[in-house]
C-alpha cells in the first residue's frame, strides 16, 4: 500500500474516533478544534504531571528516604512490577480487550474499505500505549532524582527502565492480539485462575526477595543484573515485533464471518444452576464479576509468596476485635459487589419467568428455590474463603466469620429481592429497585455485631444468624416463585397462577 493512502486511511479512522467522542459528550467544537484541544491537553498535562512527580520525589528523597535510599529503590522496583502486572491483566480481562473485536462500527469500517490494521492501531494499540506511558515516564524521573548522586544503585537497578518499556510493549501486544481474534467471555476458568495464581505467586516471591535483601545483595551473581536487563530489552523488541505482526495480520473475516462448527451437535441436559452460570459467563456481567474472583485469587497468591515476611508485627499487635471487623466488612463489601453484578443477569427477578417455566414443566418448586439459593451462596462462599485465608496469612489468626458473613450476604440479597418482588424489565434485566437494596442491607446489619462483642462469640452468632436467614430466604424465594404477580394495569390483583403451583 502506498504511504499516502496508508496515511489517509489512518487519518480517517482517527477523525472518526474524534467525532465519536465529540458526539458522546455533546461538545460544541469542530473536529479541528477538538483535535487541537486534545493535543494541547495531553502535552500540557504530561508536562505538569512530570513536574509535580519530580518535585514530589525530591521531597521524599530529602525527608522520608534521607537515611534509607535502598528502601526507595526497592519500593520503586516493586511499583514497576505491580503496575506492569495490573496493566497487562486489565488488558486481558476488562473491556479493553473488546475495543476492536466488539466495536459496534466494525461493519461500517469494512464497508468504507478501511483496513482493519488501521482500526486496530487507533482503537487498540495507541490507547494501550497511552495508558502504559506513565510507567516508563515515572521511572525515568525516579532514576534522575535518586540516581544522580548514587551511581552504584543506578547501575544495580539498571533493569528498571527496560522493564518499564517492556510493560508498555506487552500492553500494546495484548491490545493487538485481542484485536485480531473473536471476543470470548473472560469468565473464571481453571486456566485463568491458575494463571492468576502463578502471576501472584511470582509477584509475591519477587517482593520477598526485594524487601529482604534488595538487588545489591552480595549473594546475587555479578552477571544477574546485565542478564535481567538484556532479557527485558529482548522482550521489548520481541513484543514490538509481535504487535506489528498481529496488527498486520488483522482481517475482518476473522471477526465478522461466523465460524463453521464441525462435529455432532448433541442436546445436553443441564441443571438449572449450570444453565444460569453458563448464561452469566456469556454476558458482560459475568466478565465484570470474574474480575473480582481473579483479582482475589491473585491477591491471595501474592500473600502466599510473601509469607516469609508474614505475619506483620503491626497487625499481630492489634486487638483481635479490630481485625475481625475488617475481615467481616471486606467480605460483605466483596460479596455485595459480586451479587449486585450477577443479579442483573441471573438474579431472582431477572430469571423469575425462567424459574416459573421450569416449575410449570414439572420440577419441584423446592428444588428450583434450593438451586437458585445454592447458586448464590456458592458465588459468595469463595470470596469469604479468600478473605479468611488472607487474614490468616497477614495476622496469623484464623477467622471463620467471613464464611458465615458470605452466606448472610447471599441470603440477605435473595430475601430482600423476594420480599419486594419487582418485575424484570422488558429486556429481561433487573430494574433498579431502592426498596430491595434497603431490605437486603437491613438483613446484613446483624453481621456487624462484631463491633460490640467478642470476636469468637460474634463468629458463633453470625453463623447462627446465617442459618436462620438462609432458611428465611429459601421460604421467601419459594413463595416468590410460586406466586408470580402480573404487571397488568387492568388488574393489579391478577396473578399468572391464581393458586400456588401444583409442582411447588
Amino acid at each position: 500500500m502506498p504511504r499516502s493512502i496508508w496515511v489517509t486511511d489512518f487519518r480517517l479512522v482517527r477523525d472518526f474516533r474524534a467525532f465519536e467522542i465529540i458526539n458522546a459528550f455533546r461538545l460544541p467544537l469542530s473536529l479541528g478544534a477538538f483535535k487541537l484541544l486534545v493535543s494541547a491537553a495531553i502535552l500540557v498535562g504530561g508536562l505538569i504531571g512530570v513536574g509535580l512527580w519530580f518535585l514530589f520525589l525530591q521531597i521524599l528523597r530529602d525527608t522520608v528516604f534521607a537515611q534509607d535510599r535502598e528502601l526507595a529503590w526497592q519500593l520503586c522496583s516493586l511499583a514497576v512490577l505491580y503496575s506492569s502486572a495490573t496493566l497487562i491483566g486489565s488488558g486481558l480481562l476488562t473491556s479493553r480487550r473488546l475495543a476492536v473485536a466488539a466495536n459496534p462500527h466494525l461493519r461500517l469500517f469494512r464497508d468504507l474499505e478501511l483496513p482493519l490494521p488501521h482500526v486496530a492501531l487507533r482503537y487498540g494499540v495507541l490507547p494501550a500505549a497511552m495508558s502504559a506511558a506513565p510507567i516508563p515516564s515515572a521511572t525515568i524521573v525516579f532514576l534522575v532524582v535518586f540516581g544522580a548522586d548514587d551511581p552504584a544503585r543506578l547501575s544495580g537497578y539498571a533493569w528498571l527502565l527496560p522493564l518499564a518499556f517492556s510493560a508498555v510493549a506487552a500492553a500494546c501486544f495484548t491490545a493487538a492480539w485481542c484485536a485480531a481474534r473473536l471476543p470470548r467471555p473472560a469468565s473464571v476458568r481453571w486456566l485463568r485462575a491458575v494463571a492468576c495464581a502463578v502471576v501472584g505467586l511470582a509477584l509475591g516471591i519477587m517482593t520477598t526477595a526485594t524487601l529482604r535483601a534488595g538487588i545489591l545483595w552480595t549473594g546475587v551473581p555479578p552477571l544477574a543484573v546485565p542478564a535481567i536487563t538484556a532479557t527485558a530489552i529482548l522482550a521489548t523488541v520481541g513484543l514490538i515485533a509481535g504487535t506489528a505482526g498481529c496488527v498486520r495480520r488483522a482481517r475482518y473475516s476473522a471477526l465478522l464471518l461466523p465460524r463453521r462448527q464441525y462435529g455432532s451437535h448433541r442436546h445436553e441436559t443441564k441443571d438449572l444452576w449450570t444453565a444460569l452460570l453458563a448464561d452469566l459467563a456469556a454476558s458482560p456481567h459475568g466478565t465484570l464479576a470474574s474480575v473480582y474472583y481473579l483479582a482475589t485469587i491473585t491477591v491471595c497468591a501474592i500473600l502466599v509468596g510473601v509469607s516469609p515476611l508474614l505475619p506483620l508485627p503491626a497487625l499481630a499487635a492489634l486487638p483481635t476485635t479490630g481485625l475481625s471487623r475488617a475481615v467481616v466488612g471486606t467480605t460483605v463489601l466483596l460479596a455485595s459487589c459480586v451479587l449486585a453484578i450477577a443479579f442483573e443477569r441471573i438474579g431472582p427477578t431477572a430469571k423469575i419467568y425462567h424459574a416459573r417455566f421450569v416449575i410449570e414443566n414439572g420440577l419441584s418448586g423446592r428444588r428450583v428455590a434450593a438451586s437458585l439459593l445454592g447458586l448464590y451462596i456458592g458465588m459468595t462462599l469463595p470470596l469469604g474463603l479468600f478473605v479468611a485465608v488472607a487474614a490468616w496469612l497477614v495476622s496469623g489468626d484464623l477467622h471463620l466469620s467471613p464464611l458465615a458473613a458470605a452466606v448472610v450476604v447471599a441470603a440477605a440479597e435473595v430475601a430482600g429481592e423476594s420480599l419486594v418482588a419487582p418485575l424484570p424489565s422488558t429486556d429481561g434485566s433487573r430494574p433498579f429497585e431502592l426498596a430491595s437494596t434497603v431490605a437486603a442491607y437491613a438483613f446484613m446489619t446483624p453481621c456487624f455485631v462484631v463491633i460490640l462483642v467478642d470476636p469468637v462469640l460474634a463468629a458463633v452468632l453470625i453463623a447462627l444468624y446465617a442459618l436462620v436467614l438462609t432458611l428465611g430466604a429459601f421460604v421467601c424465594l419459594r413463595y416468590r416463585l410460586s406466586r408470580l404477580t402480573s404487571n397488568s394495569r387492568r388488574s393489579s390483583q391478577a396473578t399468572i397462577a391464581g393458586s400456588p403451583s401444583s409442582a411447588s
Side-chain angles (χ1 to χ4, degrees), residues 154-174:
L154 183 61
S155 60
Y157 285 88
W159 52 272
L160 272 179
L161 191 57
L163 181 64
F165 279 109
S166 66
V168 178
C172 295
F173 174 77
T174 300

PDB file of all heavy atoms in Angstrom, residues 154-174:
ATOM      1  N   LEU A 154      22.270   3.035  40.850  1.00  0.00           N
ATOM      2  CA  LEU A 154      21.765   3.235  39.493  1.00  0.00           C
ATOM      3  C   LEU A 154      22.187   2.091  38.570  1.00  0.00           C
ATOM      4  O   LEU A 154      21.399   1.605  37.771  1.00  0.00           O
ATOM      5  CB  LEU A 154      22.265   4.572  38.942  1.00  0.00           C
ATOM      6  CG  LEU A 154      21.765   4.950  37.541  1.00  0.00           C
ATOM      7  CD1 LEU A 154      20.249   5.077  37.541  1.00  0.00           C
ATOM      8  CD2 LEU A 154      22.418   6.248  37.076  1.00  0.00           C
ATOM      9  N   SER A 155      23.418   1.632  38.719  1.00  0.00           N
ATOM     10  CA  SER A 155      23.872   0.504  37.919  1.00  0.00           C
ATOM     11  C   SER A 155      23.261  -0.810  38.411  1.00  0.00           C
ATOM     12  O   SER A 155      22.994  -1.713  37.618  1.00  0.00           O
ATOM     13  CB  SER A 155      25.405   0.407  37.966  1.00  0.00           C
ATOM     14  OG  SER A 155      25.846   0.214  39.316  1.00  0.00           O
ATOM     15  N   GLY A 156      23.030  -0.916  39.723  1.00  0.00           N
ATOM     16  CA  GLY A 156      22.423  -2.136  40.256  1.00  0.00           C
ATOM     17  C   GLY A 156      20.973  -2.297  39.857  1.00  0.00           C
ATOM     18  O   GLY A 156      20.480  -3.416  39.703  1.00  0.00           O
ATOM     19  N   TYR A 157      20.265  -1.183  39.673  1.00  0.00           N
ATOM     20  CA  TYR A 157      18.864  -1.210  39.252  1.00  0.00           C
ATOM     21  C   TYR A 157      18.733  -0.791  37.791  1.00  0.00           C
ATOM     22  O   TYR A 157      17.741  -0.160  37.400  1.00  0.00           O
ATOM     23  CB  TYR A 157      18.035  -0.280  40.130  1.00  0.00           C
ATOM     24  CG  TYR A 157      17.760  -0.832  41.508  1.00  0.00           C
ATOM     25  CD1 TYR A 157      18.664  -0.612  42.548  1.00  0.00           C
ATOM     26  CD2 TYR A 157      16.629  -1.569  41.781  1.00  0.00           C
ATOM     27  CE1 TYR A 157      18.430  -1.102  43.826  1.00  0.00           C
ATOM     28  CE2 TYR A 157      16.376  -2.063  43.051  1.00  0.00           C
ATOM     29  CZ  TYR A 157      17.284  -1.833  44.065  1.00  0.00           C
ATOM     30  OH  TYR A 157      17.044  -2.325  45.324  1.00  0.00           O
ATOM     31  N   ALA A 158      19.707  -1.140  36.972  1.00  0.00           N
ATOM     32  CA  ALA A 158      19.664  -0.767  35.550  1.00  0.00           C
ATOM     33  C   ALA A 158      18.534  -1.457  34.802  1.00  0.00           C
ATOM     34  O   ALA A 158      18.175  -1.042  33.700  1.00  0.00           O
ATOM     35  CB  ALA A 158      21.009  -1.098  34.902  1.00  0.00           C
ATOM     36  N   TRP A 159      17.972  -2.510  35.384  1.00  0.00           N
ATOM     37  CA  TRP A 159      16.898  -3.243  34.716  1.00  0.00           C
ATOM     38  C   TRP A 159      15.539  -2.576  34.860  1.00  0.00           C
ATOM     39  O   TRP A 159      14.565  -2.988  34.206  1.00  0.00           O
ATOM     40  CB  TRP A 159      16.807  -4.650  35.302  1.00  0.00           C
ATOM     41  CG  TRP A 159      16.699  -4.659  36.803  1.00  0.00           C
ATOM     42  CD1 TRP A 159      17.712  -4.655  37.702  1.00  0.00           C
ATOM     43  CD2 TRP A 159      15.488  -4.656  37.574  1.00  0.00           C
ATOM     44  NE1 TRP A 159      17.242  -4.655  38.987  1.00  0.00           N
ATOM     45  CE2 TRP A 159      15.865  -4.670  38.932  1.00  0.00           C
ATOM     46  CE3 TRP A 159      14.140  -4.675  37.248  1.00  0.00           C
ATOM     47  CZ2 TRP A 159      14.934  -4.663  39.964  1.00  0.00           C
ATOM     48  CZ3 TRP A 159      13.204  -4.679  38.270  1.00  0.00           C
ATOM     49  CH2 TRP A 159      13.607  -4.673  39.614  1.00  0.00           C
ATOM     50  N   LEU A 160      15.437  -1.530  35.678  1.00  0.00           N
ATOM     51  CA  LEU A 160      14.133  -0.916  35.922  1.00  0.00           C
ATOM     52  C   LEU A 160      13.547  -0.295  34.655  1.00  0.00           C
ATOM     53  O   LEU A 160      12.387  -0.533  34.303  1.00  0.00           O
ATOM     54  CB  LEU A 160      14.258   0.156  37.014  1.00  0.00           C
ATOM     55  CG  LEU A 160      14.101  -0.311  38.456  1.00  0.00           C
ATOM     56  CD1 LEU A 160      14.284   0.866  39.405  1.00  0.00           C
ATOM     57  CD2 LEU A 160      12.747  -0.955  38.656  1.00  0.00           C
ATOM     58  N   LEU A 161      14.342   0.521  33.965  1.00  0.00           N
ATOM     59  CA  LEU A 161      13.820   1.204  32.784  1.00  0.00           C
ATOM     60  C   LEU A 161      13.500   0.241  31.643  1.00  0.00           C
ATOM     61  O   LEU A 161      12.420   0.358  31.035  1.00  0.00           O
ATOM     62  CB  LEU A 161      14.821   2.276  32.326  1.00  0.00           C
ATOM     63  CG  LEU A 161      14.302   3.252  31.263  1.00  0.00           C
ATOM     64  CD1 LEU A 161      13.047   3.954  31.755  1.00  0.00           C
ATOM     65  CD2 LEU A 161      15.378   4.279  30.912  1.00  0.00           C
ATOM     66  N   PRO A 162      14.355  -0.732  31.313  1.00  0.00           N
ATOM     67  CA  PRO A 162      13.939  -1.721  30.296  1.00  0.00           C
ATOM     68  C   PRO A 162      12.689  -2.501  30.673  1.00  0.00           C
ATOM     69  O   PRO A 162      11.863  -2.814  29.814  1.00  0.00           O
ATOM     70  CB  PRO A 162      15.160  -2.644  30.195  1.00  0.00           C
ATOM     71  CG  PRO A 162      16.310  -1.802  30.608  1.00  0.00           C
ATOM     72  CD  PRO A 162      15.777  -0.912  31.671  1.00  0.00           C
ATOM     73  N   LEU A 163      12.540  -2.794  31.965  1.00  0.00           N
ATOM     74  CA  LEU A 163      11.328  -3.495  32.398  1.00  0.00           C
ATOM     75  C   LEU A 163      10.092  -2.619  32.202  1.00  0.00           C
ATOM     76  O   LEU A 163       9.032  -3.110  31.787  1.00  0.00           O
ATOM     77  CB  LEU A 163      11.465  -3.908  33.862  1.00  0.00           C
ATOM     78  CG  LEU A 163      10.277  -4.675  34.451  1.00  0.00           C
ATOM     79  CD1 LEU A 163      10.106  -6.011  33.732  1.00  0.00           C
ATOM     80  CD2 LEU A 163      10.472  -4.909  35.946  1.00  0.00           C
ATOM     81  N   ALA A 164      10.231  -1.316  32.479  1.00  0.00           N
ATOM     82  CA  ALA A 164       9.095  -0.407  32.276  1.00  0.00           C
ATOM     83  C   ALA A 164       8.708  -0.334  30.805  1.00  0.00           C
ATOM     84  O   ALA A 164       7.512  -0.341  30.453  1.00  0.00           O
ATOM     85  CB  ALA A 164       9.436   0.974  32.820  1.00  0.00           C
ATOM     86  N   PHE A 165       9.694  -0.272  29.924  1.00  0.00           N
ATOM     87  CA  PHE A 165       9.385  -0.228  28.499  1.00  0.00           C
ATOM     88  C   PHE A 165       8.833  -1.564  28.005  1.00  0.00           C
ATOM     89  O   PHE A 165       7.995  -1.600  27.098  1.00  0.00           O
ATOM     90  CB  PHE A 165      10.629   0.158  27.700  1.00  0.00           C
ATOM     91  CG  PHE A 165      10.891   1.638  27.677  1.00  0.00           C
ATOM     92  CD1 PHE A 165      11.946   2.182  28.383  1.00  0.00           C
ATOM     93  CD2 PHE A 165      10.068   2.492  26.962  1.00  0.00           C
ATOM     94  CE1 PHE A 165      12.193   3.549  28.370  1.00  0.00           C
ATOM     95  CE2 PHE A 165      10.300   3.857  26.934  1.00  0.00           C
ATOM     96  CZ  PHE A 165      11.360   4.385  27.642  1.00  0.00           C
ATOM     97  N   SER A 166       9.269  -2.656  28.596  1.00  0.00           N
ATOM     98  CA  SER A 166       8.697  -3.953  28.213  1.00  0.00           C
ATOM     99  C   SER A 166       7.238  -4.051  28.643  1.00  0.00           C
ATOM    100  O   SER A 166       6.435  -4.729  27.971  1.00  0.00           O
ATOM    101  CB  SER A 166       9.508  -5.085  28.832  1.00  0.00           C
ATOM    102  OG  SER A 166       9.398  -5.071  30.253  1.00  0.00           O
ATOM    103  N   ALA A 167       6.857  -3.373  29.729  1.00  0.00           N
ATOM    104  CA  ALA A 167       5.449  -3.353  30.134  1.00  0.00           C
ATOM    105  C   ALA A 167       4.602  -2.615  29.093  1.00  0.00           C
ATOM    106  O   ALA A 167       3.490  -3.045  28.764  1.00  0.00           O
ATOM    107  CB  ALA A 167       5.303  -2.688  31.501  1.00  0.00           C
ATOM    108  N   VAL A 168       5.130  -1.509  28.556  1.00  0.00           N
ATOM    109  CA  VAL A 168       4.406  -0.788  27.500  1.00  0.00           C
ATOM    110  C   VAL A 168       4.263  -1.669  26.264  1.00  0.00           C
ATOM    111  O   VAL A 168       3.191  -1.756  25.649  1.00  0.00           O
ATOM    112  CB  VAL A 168       5.143   0.524  27.159  1.00  0.00           C
ATOM    113  CG1 VAL A 168       4.427   1.260  26.035  1.00  0.00           C
ATOM    114  CG2 VAL A 168       5.244   1.414  28.378  1.00  0.00           C
ATOM    115  N   ALA A 169       5.361  -2.336  25.880  1.00  0.00           N
ATOM    116  CA  ALA A 169       5.302  -3.225  24.716  1.00  0.00           C
ATOM    117  C   ALA A 169       4.339  -4.375  24.943  1.00  0.00           C
ATOM    118  O   ALA A 169       3.611  -4.786  24.021  1.00  0.00           O
ATOM    119  CB  ALA A 169       6.704  -3.748  24.405  1.00  0.00           C
ATOM    120  N   ALA A 170       4.293  -4.915  26.169  1.00  0.00           N
ATOM    121  CA  ALA A 170       3.365  -6.004  26.467  1.00  0.00           C
ATOM    122  C   ALA A 170       1.915  -5.532  26.394  1.00  0.00           C
ATOM    123  O   ALA A 170       1.039  -6.262  25.906  1.00  0.00           O
ATOM    124  CB  ALA A 170       3.665  -6.583  27.846  1.00  0.00           C
ATOM    125  N   ALA A 171       1.648  -4.319  26.873  1.00  0.00           N
ATOM    126  CA  ALA A 171       0.290  -3.778  26.779  1.00  0.00           C
ATOM    127  C   ALA A 171      -0.131  -3.594  25.320  1.00  0.00           C
ATOM    128  O   ALA A 171      -1.270  -3.916  24.943  1.00  0.00           O
ATOM    129  CB  ALA A 171       0.209  -2.450  27.528  1.00  0.00           C
ATOM    130  N   CYS A 172       0.766  -3.103  24.488  1.00  0.00           N
ATOM    131  CA  CYS A 172       0.454  -2.941  23.068  1.00  0.00           C
ATOM    132  C   CYS A 172       0.245  -4.292  22.390  1.00  0.00           C
ATOM    133  O   CYS A 172      -0.667  -4.453  21.567  1.00  0.00           O
ATOM    134  CB  CYS A 172       1.577  -2.166  22.377  1.00  0.00           C
ATOM    135  SG  CYS A 172       1.774  -0.464  22.937  1.00  0.00           S
ATOM    136  N   PHE A 173       1.071  -5.262  22.742  1.00  0.00           N
ATOM    137  CA  PHE A 173       0.917  -6.598  22.145  1.00  0.00           C
ATOM    138  C   PHE A 173      -0.405  -7.220  22.570  1.00  0.00           C
ATOM    139  O   PHE A 173      -1.083  -7.868  21.760  1.00  0.00           O
ATOM    140  CB  PHE A 173       2.082  -7.494  22.565  1.00  0.00           C
ATOM    141  CG  PHE A 173       1.924  -8.922  22.125  1.00  0.00           C
ATOM    142  CD1 PHE A 173       2.157  -9.278  20.816  1.00  0.00           C
ATOM    143  CD2 PHE A 173       1.525  -9.900  23.027  1.00  0.00           C
ATOM    144  CE1 PHE A 173       1.996 -10.600  20.400  1.00  0.00           C
ATOM    145  CE2 PHE A 173       1.360 -11.208  22.624  1.00  0.00           C
ATOM    146  CZ  PHE A 173       1.601 -11.560  21.306  1.00  0.00           C
ATOM    147  N   THR A 174      -0.792  -7.046  23.823  1.00  0.00           N
ATOM    148  CA  THR A 174      -2.067  -7.594  24.292  1.00  0.00           C
ATOM    149  C   THR A 174      -3.233  -6.994  23.518  1.00  0.00           C
ATOM    150  O   THR A 174      -4.154  -7.704  23.099  1.00  0.00           O
ATOM    151  CB  THR A 174      -2.225  -7.320  25.791  1.00  0.00           C
ATOM    152  OG1 THR A 174      -1.147  -7.930  26.509  1.00  0.00           O
ATOM    153  CG2 THR A 174      -3.537  -7.866  26.306  1.00  0.00           C
TER     154      THR A 174
END
